[in-house]
């Protein structure tokens, strides 16, 4: 039950009703018997600065940040972790007496999800050049993996390359998958309500691992086609679960586990296909 000592956090987004983060964090709070609550926080574009200041002044421990606020939130922070400095975006805010600390845990969440699927990253082709692509490209480069990026809007791919000079830019849509060990969809294509990603997998090398960071539905059309071809696949829900770990640990003081029960609880709220 919420009381005077309850620690508070939440997710800031617009809209935010679709976010699975409240379900995930409140599950962990209940599992660990923590006196805490995690709320959906609908904040309109333009209201972010006043909302963040208000949450901090109200004693919140921090918040996650999702679409469309990740870049604007980074500009509100007093300090940023390395990943957030590289991506120019934050998904995790921690309020302290000194100020606001921002972190971008998407890249680490992606890598943890790969590891949980027993995948060691190799030469990677990222489809998309948005905020998530930046975070993932930075994380992959950080492990020494060569990264190529293909994006519908060439200028955005160039901007990503300017921020992360180790990245190679290739044309959209990519036609040749030879030489890659990992293909990652970071576009919103394949998400419920969006067209599927039309990518030719016919010439995919047999060992290619196909990852999608879209997690609604759980099995995207891209993952389904890859699996039909016998390719290994990594669905996106695990990234969502893993990116949430550092925020929860900081706000509530317990390191939560991403295990089968956690996965199934969040997955139960998401269409399979
Ligand atoms: N699993 C997780 O934990 C996790 C975490 C973060 C994000 N995500 C998901 O990842 C996706 C991208 O997120 P984001 O924050 O990076 O978004 P974003 O910054 O808005 O980037 C969207 C990307 O999708 C591309 N795109 C959109 N519509 C397209 C179309 N019709 N054809 C080709 N490309 C298209 C955009 O290309 P242009 O530049 O050409 O517009 C851009 O590269 C979303 O579906 C989000 O839900 C998942």
């Amino acid at each position: 039950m919420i009381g005077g000592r309850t620690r508070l956090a939440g997710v800031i987004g617009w809209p935010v009703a679709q976010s699975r983060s409240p379900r995930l964090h409140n599950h962990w709070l209940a599992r660990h018997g923590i006196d805490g609550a995690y709320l959906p926080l609908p904040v309109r574009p333009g209201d972010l600065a006043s909302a963040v200041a208000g949450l901090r002044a109200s004693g919140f421990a921090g918040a996650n940040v999702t679409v469309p606020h990740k870049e604007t939130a980074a500009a509100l922070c007093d300090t940023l972790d390395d990943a957030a400095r590289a991506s120019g975006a934050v998904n995790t805010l921690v309020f302290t007496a000194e100020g606001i600390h921002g972190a971008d845990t998407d890249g680490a969440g992606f890598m943890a999800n790969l590891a949980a699927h027993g995948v060691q990253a190799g030469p990677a082709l990222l489809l998309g050049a948005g905020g998530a692509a930046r975070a993932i490209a930075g994380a992959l480069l950080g492990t020494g993996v060569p990264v190529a990026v293909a994006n519908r809007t060439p200028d955005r791919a160039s901007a990503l390359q300017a921020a992360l000079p180790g990245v190679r830019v290739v044309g959209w849509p990519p036609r040749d998958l030879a030489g890659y060990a990992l293909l990652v969809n970071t576009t919103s294509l394949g998400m419920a309500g969006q067209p599927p990603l039309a990518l030719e997998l016919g010439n995919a090398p047999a060992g290619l691992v196909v990852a999608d960071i879209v997690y609604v539905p759980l099995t995207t059309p891209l993952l389904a086609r890859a699996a039909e071809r016998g390719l290994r696949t990594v669905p996106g829900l695990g990234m969502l679960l893993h990116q949430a770990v550092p925020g929860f640990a900081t706000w509530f003081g317990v390191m939560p586990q991403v295990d089968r029960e956690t996965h199934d609880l969040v997955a139960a709220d998401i269409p399979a296909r």
Side-chain angles (χ1 to χ4, degrees):
M1 191 181 312
I2 293 179
R5 293 177 204 289
T6 303
R7 281 184 78 72
L8 296 172
V11 55
I12 300 170
W14 185 264
V16 80
Q18 81 295 344
S19 173
R20 269 68 182 188
S21 294
R23 192 175 171 96
L24 170 62
H25 284 266
N26 287 305
H27 160 69
W28 280 334
L29 287 168
R31 172 188 275 186
H32 293 288
I34 295 169
D35 183 4
Y38 184 101
L39 310 172
L41 302 164
V43 175
R44 286 191 167 77
D47 286 344
L48 184 68
S50 53
V52 167
L55 292 171
R56 183 165 175 242
S58 310
F60 271 61
N64 285 123
V65 182
T66 188
V67 177
H69 295 306
K70 288 182 179 182
E71 282 86 11
T72 319
L76 299 175
C77 292
D78 300 297
T79 56
L80 294 173
D81 74 354
D82 289 346
R85 260 198 303 279
S87 67
V90 300
N91 66 357
T92 306
L93 299 175
V94 178
F95 303 146
T96 69
E98 287 74 42
I100 302 172
H101 179 69
D104 187 348
T105 67
D106 274 344
F110 175 80
M111 299 303 291
N113 189 35
L114 278 191
H117 284 81
V119 172
Q120 208 189 340
L125 173 59
L126 304 193
L127 309 173
R134 276 194 189 211
I136 292 169
L140 286 167
L141 288 174
T143 64
V145 166
V147 177
V149 166
N151 195 53
R152 174 183 62 174
T153 307
D155 284 357
R156 211 159 172 206
S158 304
L160 186 151
Q161 188 183 40
L164 297 166
V167 166
R168 191 165 59 92
V169 173
V170 300
W172 176 270
R175 304 197 191 281
D176 187 6
L177 301 178
Y180 296 112
L182 178 63
L183 175 73
V184 189
N185 175 41
T186 78
T187 74
S188 42
L189 292 170
M191 195 162 75
Q194 299 282 328
L197 175 67
L199 183 76
E200 182 51 57
L201 290 177
N203 67 354
L208 185 73
V209 175
V210 178
D212 204 327
I213 71 163
V214 170
Y215 58 89
V216 181
L218 297 168
T219 302
T220 62
L222 172 69
L223 293 178
R225 283 195 295 121
E228 279 162 16
R229 294 193 160 271
L231 301 173
R232 277 177 83 183
T233 59
V234 179
L237 179 58
M239 173 177 165
L240 178 80
L241 306 179
H242 284 284
Q243 63 77 31
V245 168
F248 186 93
T250 308
W251 305 320
F252 300 115
V254 173
M255 186 65 70
Q257 295 303 309
V258 175
D259 53 16
R260 174 54 59 187
E261 188 196 14
T262 306
H263 175 278
D264 290 352
L265 183 113
V266 180
D269 191 37
I270 300 175
R273 280 178 186 251

